Amino acid sequence: MSKIKPSQGAPYARIMGVGGYRPTRVVPNEVILETIDSSDEWIRSRSGIASRHWASPEETVASMSVEAAGKAIADAGITPAQIGGVIVSTVSHFKQTPAIATEIADRIGAGRPAAFDISAACAGFGYGLTLAKGMVVDGSAEYVLVIGVERLSDLTDLEDRATAFLFGDGAGAVIVGPAKEPMIGPTVWGSEGDKSDTIKQTVPWDDYREGRPEKFPAITQEGQAVFRWAVFEMAKVAQQALDAAGITSEELDVFIPHQANMRIIDSMVKTLKLPDSVTVARDIETTGNTSAASIPLAMERLLATGQAKSGDTALVIGFGAGLVYAAMVVTLP
C-alpha cells in the first residue's frame, strides 16, 4: 500500500480573472499590400482580417505579458504573491533558455512560483489552462497564471502572399484558482504529427551554424490543407468537448475558437449547429491571428464589451502547428 498522502488541492478549478494587451500600433491591410500583390477585398474575403496590432521594439514578449498578467490579477482580486505557478505559451520567445515565465514571474512580484514555458502553438492556451487546472486540483498551487503571448510580426515573411496578412502580436492572461463546482470541463486534446509540415518555421535555428540564411525564419503554412483540417476535424473535437462537459449546443452561451480565419469560425458554427443566441468571438477582424494569445484576448474583449458576461458557459478550442489541438467548456470569470 502506498505511503504517499493524498493531495490537498481544491475539488475543482475555475478561471477567476482575465486580462489582455494589444500593442499600440494598428496595422491596416494597406500596409501589408505594400509588399504583396493582393487587395484589401481579397484579404478580408479570405481571412476576415481588416487590421492587426504589431509590437514596437519596447513591446517585448515579457512586457506584453506583464501588462496582461497585471490586468488578470486585478480582475481575479488576488495579489501577485499568492500565485504559485506561471505558465507561458509562446513560439516567439527567441531565447532557448531560461524560460520567459521566470522573468515574468519576477517582474510581477510573484515570489518563487513554479514557472515554465510551453510550445503548443495556437493550442497553447488550452494546454496551459489544462496544466493549471491540474496544479490547482492537485494542490501544488492555489493560483496559477496562464499567459498566451506572441510577437508573430517577428516571424512573418512580408513577401509571402499566403501568410503576410495573417499574423498579429499581443498577450492574453488568466488566473486559475480553486472552485467548489466544475467550472473548467474535461480537455479534449491531441496531435496529428503526420501533418506537422502544413504549418512550420521555414528555417531551423541550427542552419545558422553553417552561415546566415538569406532570410530570417518565418512561419509558413499550406493554407488549403490547414483550412480543410480545421473545418472538418476541429468541429468534431469541439463537439467532443461539449459532450465531455455534458453540455448541448442549446445550453452554450459563448463560442471562443482560435482566431485563425473568419471562414473557419463561420464553418465551425454551422457544423456545430450553434443557435443564433450563442455569442461567437470574431476578434480576428481587428487583431489578426495571435496564436497562443488569441483565445484569452478574444475572451477579454467579449467580457469588456458586454458581449459576454460573468458566469456564461463558453466553449473554447485552439488548433494549429503540430498539428495540435485542445478544447474544453469553461465558465467565464
mmCIF file of all heavy atoms in Angstrom, residues 17 22 31 74 120 166 172 192 201 216 234 246 257 269 279-280 297:
data_model
loop_
_atom_site.group_PDB
_atom_site.id
_atom_site.type_symbol
_atom_site.label_atom_id
_atom_site.label_comp_id
_atom_site.label_asym_id
_atom_site.label_seq_id
_atom_site.Cartn_x
_atom_site.Cartn_y
_atom_site.Cartn_z
ATOM 1 N N GLY A 17 -10.003 35.399 -13.400
ATOM 2 C CA GLY A 17 -9.801 36.726 -13.964
ATOM 3 C C GLY A 17 -9.108 36.622 -15.304
ATOM 4 O O GLY A 17 -8.416 35.640 -15.589
ATOM 5 N N ARG A 22 -2.868 44.554 -26.208
ATOM 6 C CA ARG A 22 -2.644 44.682 -27.638
ATOM 7 C C ARG A 22 -1.670 45.828 -27.883
ATOM 8 O O ARG A 22 -1.857 46.910 -27.325
ATOM 9 C CB ARG A 22 -3.972 44.954 -28.368
ATOM 10 C CG ARG A 22 -4.947 43.784 -28.343
ATOM 11 C CD ARG A 22 -6.313 44.194 -28.906
ATOM 12 N NE ARG A 22 -7.198 43.059 -29.058
ATOM 13 C CZ ARG A 22 -7.916 42.513 -28.086
ATOM 14 N NH1 ARG A 22 -7.852 43.032 -26.868
ATOM 15 N NH2 ARG A 22 -8.703 41.467 -28.307
ATOM 16 N N VAL A 31 -1.049 48.515 -45.320
ATOM 17 C CA VAL A 31 0.386 48.387 -45.055
ATOM 18 C C VAL A 31 0.910 47.055 -45.594
ATOM 19 O O VAL A 31 1.997 46.983 -46.176
ATOM 20 C CB VAL A 31 0.670 48.513 -43.543
ATOM 21 C CG1 VAL A 31 2.130 48.191 -43.235
ATOM 22 C CG2 VAL A 31 0.310 49.904 -43.052
ATOM 23 N N ALA A 74 -5.601 41.664 -11.172
ATOM 24 C CA ALA A 74 -6.554 42.618 -10.595
ATOM 25 C C ALA A 74 -7.985 42.132 -10.769
ATOM 26 O O ALA A 74 -8.815 42.255 -9.860
ATOM 27 C CB ALA A 74 -6.372 43.985 -11.255
ATOM 28 N N ALA A 120 2.989 25.000 -27.813
ATOM 29 C CA ALA A 120 1.886 24.256 -28.410
ATOM 30 C C ALA A 120 1.138 25.135 -29.400
ATOM 31 O O ALA A 120 -0.056 24.946 -29.641
ATOM 32 C CB ALA A 120 0.933 23.730 -27.336
ATOM 33 N N LEU A 166 -1.696 37.526 -42.142
ATOM 34 C CA LEU A 166 -2.388 36.745 -41.116
ATOM 35 C C LEU A 166 -2.074 37.151 -39.682
ATOM 36 O O LEU A 166 -2.974 37.208 -38.841
ATOM 37 C CB LEU A 166 -2.042 35.260 -41.270
ATOM 38 C CG LEU A 166 -2.689 34.507 -42.427
ATOM 39 C CD1 LEU A 166 -2.155 33.072 -42.464
ATOM 40 C CD2 LEU A 166 -4.201 34.502 -42.284
ATOM 41 N N GLY A 172 -2.497 37.569 -23.816
ATOM 42 C CA GLY A 172 -3.709 37.354 -23.040
ATOM 43 C C GLY A 172 -3.373 36.502 -21.831
ATOM 44 O O GLY A 172 -2.506 35.616 -21.905
ATOM 45 N N GLU A 192 -1.692 15.557 -34.435
ATOM 46 C CA GLU A 192 -1.597 14.773 -35.660
ATOM 47 C C GLU A 192 -0.263 15.109 -36.318
ATOM 48 O O GLU A 192 -0.171 15.920 -37.231
ATOM 49 C CB GLU A 192 -2.773 15.083 -36.595
ATOM 50 C CG GLU A 192 -4.123 14.709 -35.997
ATOM 51 C CD GLU A 192 -5.267 14.889 -36.975
ATOM 52 O OE1 GLU A 192 -5.077 14.651 -38.176
ATOM 53 O OE2 GLU A 192 -6.359 15.285 -36.516
ATOM 54 N N GLN A 201 8.065 26.487 -39.194
ATOM 55 C CA GLN A 201 9.081 27.523 -39.334
ATOM 56 C C GLN A 201 9.918 27.198 -40.559
ATOM 57 O O GLN A 201 10.330 26.055 -40.761
ATOM 58 C CB GLN A 201 9.948 27.552 -38.075
ATOM 59 C CG GLN A 201 11.043 28.606 -38.091
ATOM 60 C CD GLN A 201 11.797 28.653 -36.774
ATOM 61 O OE1 GLN A 201 11.187 28.693 -35.706
ATOM 62 N NE2 GLN A 201 13.122 28.631 -36.830
ATOM 63 N N PHE A 216 15.467 35.693 -42.487
ATOM 64 C CA PHE A 216 15.205 35.279 -41.111
ATOM 65 C C PHE A 216 14.073 34.250 -41.117
ATOM 66 O O PHE A 216 13.172 34.320 -41.956
ATOM 67 C CB PHE A 216 14.825 36.501 -40.280
ATOM 68 C CG PHE A 216 14.789 36.248 -38.797
ATOM 69 C CD1 PHE A 216 15.968 36.157 -38.076
ATOM 70 C CD2 PHE A 216 13.589 36.101 -38.123
ATOM 71 C CE1 PHE A 216 15.953 35.931 -36.700
ATOM 72 C CE2 PHE A 216 13.555 35.874 -36.757
ATOM 73 C CZ PHE A 216 14.744 35.783 -36.049
ATOM 74 N N MET A 234 -11.741 19.851 -36.519
ATOM 75 C CA MET A 234 -11.862 20.587 -35.266
ATOM 76 C C MET A 234 -13.311 20.760 -34.820
ATOM 77 O O MET A 234 -13.582 20.898 -33.632
ATOM 78 C CB MET A 234 -11.148 21.934 -35.367
ATOM 79 C CG MET A 234 -9.631 21.799 -35.451
ATOM 80 S SD MET A 234 -8.904 20.847 -34.082
ATOM 81 C CE MET A 234 -8.762 19.202 -34.812
ATOM 82 N N GLY A 246 -20.903 17.484 -20.772
ATOM 83 C CA GLY A 246 -22.334 17.269 -20.574
ATOM 84 C C GLY A 246 -23.173 18.462 -20.977
ATOM 85 O O GLY A 246 -24.246 18.709 -20.409
ATOM 86 N N PRO A 257 -13.455 30.284 -30.427
ATOM 87 C CA PRO A 257 -12.450 29.480 -31.127
ATOM 88 C C PRO A 257 -11.169 30.262 -31.333
ATOM 89 O O PRO A 257 -11.156 31.500 -31.251
ATOM 90 C CB PRO A 257 -13.124 29.205 -32.473
ATOM 91 C CG PRO A 257 -13.952 30.437 -32.715
ATOM 92 C CD PRO A 257 -14.425 30.900 -31.346
ATOM 93 N N VAL A 269 -19.221 27.119 -36.710
ATOM 94 C CA VAL A 269 -20.529 27.487 -36.149
ATOM 95 C C VAL A 269 -21.637 26.729 -36.869
ATOM 96 O O VAL A 269 -22.563 26.191 -36.241
ATOM 97 C CB VAL A 269 -20.754 29.011 -36.245
ATOM 98 C CG1 VAL A 269 -22.199 29.367 -35.927
ATOM 99 C CG2 VAL A 269 -19.805 29.747 -35.308
ATOM 100 N N THR A 279 -23.106 33.723 -28.542
ATOM 101 C CA THR A 279 -22.172 34.777 -28.931
ATOM 102 C C THR A 279 -20.893 34.127 -29.454
ATOM 103 O O THR A 279 -20.317 33.265 -28.789
ATOM 104 C CB THR A 279 -21.828 35.666 -27.728
ATOM 105 O OG1 THR A 279 -23.024 36.316 -27.273
ATOM 106 C CG2 THR A 279 -20.790 36.715 -28.095
ATOM 107 N N VAL A 280 -20.465 34.550 -30.630
ATOM 108 C CA VAL A 280 -19.285 33.972 -31.262
ATOM 109 C C VAL A 280 -18.165 35.023 -31.318
ATOM 110 O O VAL A 280 -18.380 36.136 -31.801
ATOM 111 C CB VAL A 280 -19.598 33.467 -32.682
ATOM 112 C CG1 VAL A 280 -18.345 32.879 -33.330
ATOM 113 C CG2 VAL A 280 -20.720 32.430 -32.642
ATOM 114 N N LEU A 297 -7.289 36.771 -25.486
ATOM 115 C CA LEU A 297 -7.566 38.124 -25.971
ATOM 116 C C LEU A 297 -9.028 38.254 -26.398
ATOM 117 O O LEU A 297 -9.682 39.258 -26.091
ATOM 118 C CB LEU A 297 -6.653 38.464 -27.147
ATOM 119 C CG LEU A 297 -5.245 38.949 -26.818
ATOM 120 C CD1 LEU A 297 -4.431 39.118 -28.090
ATOM 121 C CD2 LEU A 297 -5.285 40.268 -26.046
#
